[in-house]
Structures are given as structure tokens and as C-alpha cells.
Amino acid sequence: MDLSLPNPSWSKDMRLLFDQFMKKSEDGSWKHLPSYKNKFSRRIEDIKVFFPDAKLIKEKISQAQLFPRNFEEGLGFEYAMFHNHAEDRTVCIFQGGPYLQGAPGFLHGGAIATMIDSTLGMTALIAGGIVMTANLNINFKRPIPLCSVVVINSQVDKVEGRKLFLSCNIRSVDEQTLYSEATSLFVKLDPEKSLT
Ligand SMILES: CCCCCCCCCCCCCC(=O)SCCNC(=O)CCNC(=O)[C@H](O)C(C)(C)COP(=O)(O)OP(=O)(O)OC[C@H]1O[C@@H](n2cnc3c(N)ncnc32)[C@H](O)[C@@H]1OP(=O)(O)O
């Protein structure tokens, strides 16, 4: 089941943004990216090439779930991503639920990093195929209120061989508040190199 579609836990802002991007997707300039709890395991064939110690993958993979997708509805990461191919950028609308608390009333920095890594990762994945995060630098400028809706704008800045350099920022829905900004390096996996 595609978990990036509206559900009763979504606030008005979240639905409004989703509808806006679905409208923008009607002419094909934007594309809604579906997101599943564990459909990703079908990618295991692609990934196994890089991790020959399949024992680890085989034993555990049947329980595997995409981390941000394994919270009950509304309590963790509620998000939807849209990709603009021409501009090589991805937008993620994100509503962080009460189980993601760090400082009282605000999102945990690790929860913010998760959505940054996921949005940059999806952007890198579309641009470069099977990639992994090599480096992620985040500046937390303002605390993000728990249960608020934010917009993550992510883009590819430069590609050098297997290295993809990306950046993103997190803003409030009205774009007035800059919550976080990040730079990252993703590396496209090389089938000739075992990673373990
Ligand atoms: C995956 C499919 C997902 C499907 C949907 C999912 C949902 C959304 C997506 C969610 C996605 C979530 C994603 C996640 O959360 S991935 C989870 C977190 N990341 C990891 O666990 C990765 C661990 N690291 C590695 O496996 C290897 O180090 C990698 C694969 C990254 C590179 O090892 P590899 O042996 O292949 O390459 P190399 O070492 O020859 O390096 C190559 C080049 O890169 C340069 N370099 C390397 N590291 C750094 C560094 N730290 N700073 C600066 N530079 C660095 C290096 O100097 C060299 O440059 P040059 O000498 O060529 O100039």
C-alpha cells in the first residue's frame, strides 16, 4: 500500500500541499513518488551484488521495513515526495508526529536527519541509481515544532563520476522560516567493489 497518500492524520496544510503538487503533476512536470513499507525488498537483488555476505540479508530481510515507514499512522513520519525531472529536484512535504519528539514540543534532530537523508537519497537514487550516503552535513537553524508541516527542497548540485553532491533545505509552508539546510555526498555503488 502506498503510504505517501493522504490519511486521516494529515493536517489541512499537508493535504493542501499534497493537492497542490498533484495538480502540478497533471502536466507531467512533477511526478508523485509512491512509498511503501517494504516493497523496497524487491530491490534486494540489485543490492545483493554489493553485499556478498547474503546470509545477513537473507536471514533478516523478510522483516525489513523502510525505517520512516514503520510508525503507526500519524505518530511518526507522515510524508510524500514529488520529483521534477527537468529541474532534477525533489520536494518532500513532511509532518512529524508526536513519537518523533526531541526537545519538548520539537522534532528530534535524528528525525530531521532521517527525512533529509531520505529526500536527498531519493533525489540521488533517481539521478544516479543504487547509491549510498557517504557524507551528510546538517545545519539546524530553527527547531521544528512537533506535528507541524514542513517542505524539504532537495537538488543535485554536481556529479563527478560516481560522486553525487546534493543539497536541501527545510522551510515552513509559508516559506518564511528556514528550519534546516544540508549538504551531502552520495556515492553510486560499484559492482566491482564489495562493501563489506
Ligand atoms: C538503495 C536502494 C533504495 C531504494 C529506495 C529507498 C528510499 C529512499 C532512499 C534512502 C537512501 C538512504 C541512503 C542511506 O542512508 S545509506 C546508509 C548510510 N550510508 C552507508 O552506510 C554507506 C557506508 N559507506 C560505504 O558503503 C562506502 O564508503 C561508500 C559506498 C559510500 C563508498 O565506498 P566505495 O568503495 O564505493 O567508494 P570509494 O570509497 O572509493 O569513494 C568513491 C569516491 O567518493 C569519495 N568519498 C567516499 N566517502 C567520502 C566521504 N565520506 N567524504 C568525502 N568523500 C568521500 C572518495 O574519496 C572517492 O573519491 P575519488 O577518490 O574517486 O575522487
Side-chain angles (χ1 to χ4, degrees):
M1 175 187 142
D2 182 355
L3 294 172
S4 70
L5 297 172
N7 68 53
S9 77
W10 283 23
S11 68
K12 194 166 63 39
D13 276 350
M14 194 67 179
R15 287 173 178 279
L16 219 59
L17 279 169
F18 182 83
D19 293 345
Q20 279 170 9
F21 274 96
M22 287 308 276
K23 192 119 188 72
K24 285 189 200 184
S25 305
E26 282 169 6
D27 68 1
S29 56
W30 287 87
K31 184 170 178 291
H32 170 248
L33 302 176
S35 170
Y36 307 96
K37 210 184 256 277
N38 52 17
K39 191 174 172 194
F40 157 62
S41 52
R42 277 220 322 249
R43 303 289 299 260
I44 281 308
E45 291 319 308
D46 306 346
I47 314 256
K48 240 193 235 169
V49 167
F50 307 103
F51 301 102
D53 56 349
K55 185 177 70 50
L56 180 79
I57 287 188
K58 216 163 43 222
E59 267 161 22
K60 292 293 172 209
I61 205 62
S62 57
Q63 301 164 297
Q65 293 184 358
L66 192 62
F67 167 48
R69 287 300 182 196
N70 62 23
F71 288 74
E72 271 167 69
E73 192 171 286
L75 298 177
F77 301 88
E78 289 298 338
Y79 64 96
M81 292 190 198
F82 295 85
H83 185 74
N84 182 314
H85 224 69
E87 298 171 14
D88 222 353
R89 69 190 181 98
T90 306
V91 168
C92 174
I93 56 176
F94 166 44
Q95 174 184 300
Y99 282 14
L100 304 183
Q101 177 167 269
F106 294 98
L107 277 190
H108 190 289
I112 299 169
T114 294
M115 283 321 297
I116 287 176
D117 192 30
S118 298
T119 308
L120 288 168
M122 189 49 89
T123 314
L125 189 79
I126 293 170
I130 303 284
V131 294
M132 287 192 100
T133 317
N135 181 279
L136 183 59
N137 303 293
I138 301 173
N139 289 313
F140 297 98
K141 315 290 274 188
R142 290 270 185 292
I144 301 179
L146 213 50
C147 306
S148 66
V149 178
V150 294
V151 182
I152 307 175
N153 259 292
S154 142
Q155 62 187 38
V156 177
D157 295 321
K158 184 174 60 170
V159 178
E160 282 173 7
R162 287 195 297 129
K163 297 190 286 188
L164 294 96
F165 297 88
L166 296 98
S167 59
C168 76
N169 61 46
I170 304 184
R171 287 185 178 279
S172 52
V173 173
D174 65 8
E175 300 189 10
Q176 295 310 301
T177 309
L178 172 65
Y179 288 117
S180 316
E181 38 190 16
T183 56
S184 66
L185 167 66
F186 281 74
V187 175
K188 188 172 165 54
L189 299 190
D190 174 353
E192 304 304 315
K193 292 180 94 172
S194 149
L195 289 175
T196 47

